[in-house]
Amino acid sequence: MQINKSEFTAKVTGESGFEFEVKSADITLDETRAPYIQAELTCVLPESVALELIDPRNALRVLVTATQEWIRPVRDPQTRTFDLILHERTIDHESAELTLRLVSDEALLIDAGNTTTAETRIFGLSVKAAVDATLTKHSFALEPGALDATLEANPATLAPIKNYARSPEPRADDNWRVHSTLDRTIMTAEFEGLAVCRGTRNTSSGLYAIYMNELDGIPGNLDESYEYRFMARSSRRGERTIRLTDKNGVHVTTKAVDMVAGEWTECVISSTTESGESPYSLSLLSSADPSGTTLDVTALTVIERDQVMGNNDMFFHGDTLDSGLDTFEWTDTAHHSTSTRTNLPNSDIFIQTPGTLDWDYVAPIVQAGGLRLFCDENREWRLVDPLAYSVPGQINVAAGTNATSGRDTISRQQEAWFDAVVIEYRWTDAEGLPQVAYDAASAGGTKLLKRVIERPFPGAGAAQSILSLYSGRGRVLDIEALADLDATPGMALVMTMPGTPIQVGVVSSVTWKWSIDGDSDEMRIASRGLLDTPSTAWLLQPEGYAWNEVPLGQDWSEYETPS
């Protein structure tokens, strides 16, 4: 007697839209592995012209659609679509079959990585920030509601960054001087909240200039290279000159910069200090502007060139508001001393070294935060608590109804069961020294799982996350049942098998196996957190039966299920 009828179709997305003739399908969703979705389709071998288009190296995507009609008992038809990456194709000319291996989008992170020769870094301790940065590289984004976690702070791995400009922002009583051919005005909060020094041309001829930080000077270490940055604006278009002068008035270096009328321009010049602690003055000058022309300057930053400028080229001084990533302070008198920018304590795990794959970078961070990152069949990325995350719905499997086979095993020998975890982290620090750190969790300590991870220690958390996710795996029910396309990891699961207490848990993985010949149309379910549950439990009562209908004080062992 036929109970259900299924069909699987597949086609390449994009311009070709090539459709495959599917003969059999095996699709698995498993919350414990990446990629989360892995599928294998056996198809009729297409013509040779079409075969040349089916090349995994061309980043092809395949849309797999499963449909199912229920005959006995009558249920609403089901449809489920999987948008997957073609990872491998194999041709068997003898059987005239084409095998496609498809995976979800985690594979893109597993395949790609840092292809440069420089380290990249996420500042702060946020797991979500690391995930966001990694997904952005692939034009992905987390779905709303993504969780976050803050990892344990380790000592800062970057030295403080110093702004050597003693007076980085002009003030009414400071030493941002103007040439006699200019009238000086200090305008409050004129550029991104910063004060601006304005010089207004009061003559029609002669050289004029604004001198920044002239009296305080800019100290420098002998033979050290510095980058000098400031923002400038003029009311008139034209070429201006940036000039660096030593304490004796000798011009150290000059550079021309083009300015557009009314627009702020970042001015940058570099130099190497040839005499230690020698004060330098920076100026912006011109000689060809008419009377009334204005020239504005602000936001002076002087930083050693060997600093990581990619993350540290923003203007700052000692009164800059502290952020979630950095703190700022003056080294002496406010607005007349150098400033420091200090990265908050960070962990080396937030550094992605050259050659490190994106998944190998982000997965340990996610796991250390006790979270789980995955991409579903709709290409939606989620960052969730693996134990609290749930999917609406419930899968019921029972002998004599929809279960086709089942095996109940309780064993200490299973690799998936343990009650203690130790993780050993091994890495080489910035000094080139080997480092080792450990993370541990136990719920009895009678069977130990040990993992060695070649990554900097992210702080405690991963061991407990692994132990919690694998809790309840001591009892394994290998269940095969009639295919139900709604089944998804994270759903509630109720299983009733002969000689076994009713088991209530959570779906951990589901595999659908289908054949066009009709000899296979089933699903295989794995579970976690199974509990022996009495048949009188409220969860198992008829739909619509409310909790408050149970008589007050009634013991569940005496409770009788309503008919």
Side-chain angles (χ1 to χ4, degrees):
M1 178 184 300
Q2 189 174 13
I3 297 176
N4 59 356
K5 179 182 179 181
S6 301
E7 181 181 4
F8 280 71
T9 62
K11 68 175 181 178
V12 176
T13 61
E15 292 184 5
S16 72
F18 179 82
E19 296 188 10
F20 300 94
E21 186 179 341
V22 183
K23 298 176 65 176
S24 65
D26 188 317
I27 302 177
T28 297
L29 280 59
D30 191 333
E31 66 179 8
T32 65
R33 70 184 187 185
Y36 167 61
I37 304 174
Q38 301 183 26
E40 182 175 303
L41 304 183
T42 301
C43 309
V44 174
L45 188 64
E47 296 180 359
S48 57
V49 175
L51 276 177
E52 291 304 312
L53 301 175
I54 307 169
D55 190 337
R57 295 170 297 183
N58 295 332
L60 294 182
R61 304 196 66 88
V62 176
L63 208 62
V64 181
T65 302
T67 57
Q68 180 164 262
E69 295 182 7
W70 289 88
I71 300 173
R72 296 174 183 273
V74 176
R75 288 175 50 181
D76 291 336
Q78 295 174 305
T79 300
R80 190 160 186 170
T81 301
F82 304 86
D83 188 346
L84 305 174
I85 304 166
L86 176 60
H87 229 216
E88 179 183 303
R89 68 103 163 125
T90 303
I91 298 172
D92 186 332
H93 290 286
E94 183 177 351
S95 62
E97 291 180 339
L98 172 69
T99 300
L100 306 178
R101 289 182 174 83
L102 312 168
V103 290
S104 49
D105 283 9
E106 295 93 341
L108 297 175
L109 275 62
I110 293 171
D111 288 345
N114 183 355
T115 59
T116 72
T117 58
E119 296 178 344
T120 60
R121 171 187 289 272
I122 297 297
F123 291 92
L125 300 167
S126 166
V127 172
K128 183 176 179 295
V131 172
D132 285 337
T134 304
L135 294 184
T136 297
K137 291 168 58 177
H138 299 270
S139 300
F140 297 146
L142 287 168
E143 289 298 301
L147 300 183
D148 196 4
T150 301
L151 301 189
E152 178 182 329
N154 292 328
T157 54
L158 287 182
I161 299 161
K162 182 175 288 187
N163 181 2
Y164 287 88
R166 295 179 184 272
S167 181
E169 178 185 5
R171 299 171 67 84
D173 59 350
D174 72 6
N175 50 28
W176 289 50
R177 187 174 64 86
V178 302
H179 192 269
S180 60
T181 56
L182 296 173
D183 294 327
R184 178 179 181 267
T185 307
I186 299 297
M187 299 184 295
T188 304
E190 182 71 13
F191 172 75
E192 296 184 359
L194 300 178
V196 167
C197 179
R198 167 167 288 184
T200 303
R201 182 79 151 148
N202 56 29
T203 182
S204 298
S205 62
L207 179 73
Y208 71 92
I210 296 181
Y211 306 92
M212 291 163 274
N213 224 115
E214 184 183 40
L215 299 180
D216 278 338
I218 305 169
N221 299 318
L222 185 62
D223 295 329
E224 193 74 65
S225 293
Y226 296 89
E227 190 159 271
Y228 303 78
R229 294 168 175 254
F230 62 94
M231 299 303 297
R233 179 181 62 180
S234 177
S235 61
R236 185 171 181 270
R237 183 187 184 94
E239 183 181 277
R240 307 299 190 281
T241 301
I242 310 171
R243 186 167 67 190
L244 191 64
T245 307
D246 71 9
K247 64 179 179 180
N248 298 315
V250 177
H251 300 165
V252 176
T253 184
T254 61
K255 180 182 178 181
V257 58
D258 289 321
M259 300 183 66
V260 177
E263 293 187 9
W264 284 102
T265 301
E266 184 178 43
C267 301
V268 181
I269 190 171
S270 300
S271 180
T272 299
T273 303
E274 296 182 355
S275 57
E277 298 298 314
S278 175
Y280 283 72
S281 174
L282 189 66
S283 58
L284 183 67
L285 60 146
S286 180
S287 60
D289 292 320
S291 178
T293 301
T294 60
L295 193 62
D296 303 331
V297 291
T298 189
L300 177 59
T301 309
V302 183
I303 296 180
E304 294 178 19
R305 294 196 70 192
D306 61 0
Q307 299 282 359
V308 186
M309 297 304 296
N311 285 311
N312 305 295
D313 58 0
M314 60 171 275
F315 168 78
F316 70 90
H317 59 51
D319 281 352
T320 300
L321 292 177
D322 294 344
S323 69
L325 303 180
D326 308 279
T327 58
F328 304 88
E329 61 183 350
W330 299 100
T331 58
D332 199 350
T333 305
H335 298 287
H336 290 283
S337 65
T338 58
S339 308
T340 58
R341 169 182 173 176
T342 303
N343 297 123
L344 292 177
N346 208 326
S347 170
D348 284 346
I349 197 170
F350 287 89
I351 297 174
Q352 186 173 5
T353 55
T356 300
L357 298 175
D358 290 339
W359 188 260
D360 289 344
Y361 164 70
V362 78
I365 297 174
V366 170
Q367 193 172 63
L371 302 177
R372 173 184 165 224
L373 175 68
F374 71 100
C375 183
D376 65 17
E377 68 263 34
N378 299 313
R379 306 190 70 189
E380 294 177 345
W381 286 87
R382 304 184 189 280
L383 185 60
V384 302
D385 181 336
L387 298 181
Y389 178 70
S390 62
V391 175
Q394 177 176 302
I395 300 299
N396 297 286
V397 178
T401 303
N402 62 340
T404 57
S405 67
R407 184 170 60 182
D408 183 1
T409 304
I410 302 176
S411 173
R412 292 179 60 90
Q413 298 181 13
Q414 299 175 50
E415 293 184 3
W417 184 82
F418 42 82
D419 58 2
V421 177
V422 171
I423 300 178
E424 178 181 325
Y425 292 91
R426 292 182 171 272
W427 76 102
T428 302
D429 65 16
E431 304 296 327
L433 300 175
Q435 299 289 341
V436 178
Y438 297 91
D439 182 18
S442 176
T446 64
K447 186 180 179 185
L448 173 65
L449 170 72
K450 181 180 179 181
R451 289 185 177 176
V452 178
I453 299 179
E454 301 289 340
R455 286 296 307 278
F457 180 55
Q464 183 59 56
S465 178
I466 293 172
L467 184 63
S468 299
L469 185 60
Y470 281 79
S471 65
R473 294 291 181 89
R475 182 170 206 148
V476 175
L477 280 171
D478 294 320
I479 297 295
E480 292 189 355
L482 298 177
D484 185 339
L485 294 179
D486 288 338
T488 303
M491 274 188 173
L493 174 65
V494 178
M495 294 187 288
T496 306
M497 303 300 291
T500 300
I502 296 175
Q503 297 294 302
V504 175
V506 178
V507 175
S508 175
S509 73
V510 57
T511 298
W512 294 279
K513 299 182 75 70
W514 172 83
S515 170
I516 195 171
D517 299 328
D519 57 359
S520 179
D521 192 3
E522 296 178 328
M523 66 177 179
R524 184 173 62 250
I525 292 179
S527 60
R528 60 176 166 86
L530 290 178
L531 297 174
D532 293 350
T533 308
S535 60
T536 56
W538 174 72
L539 178 66
L540 305 178
Q541 301 314 302
E543 183 176 355
Y545 188 72
W547 175 264
N548 59 13
E549 293 182 39
V550 180
L552 187 64
Q554 176 87 61
D555 189 282
W556 280 111
S557 62
E558 302 173 353
Y559 179 73
E560 294 185 3
T561 302
S563 57

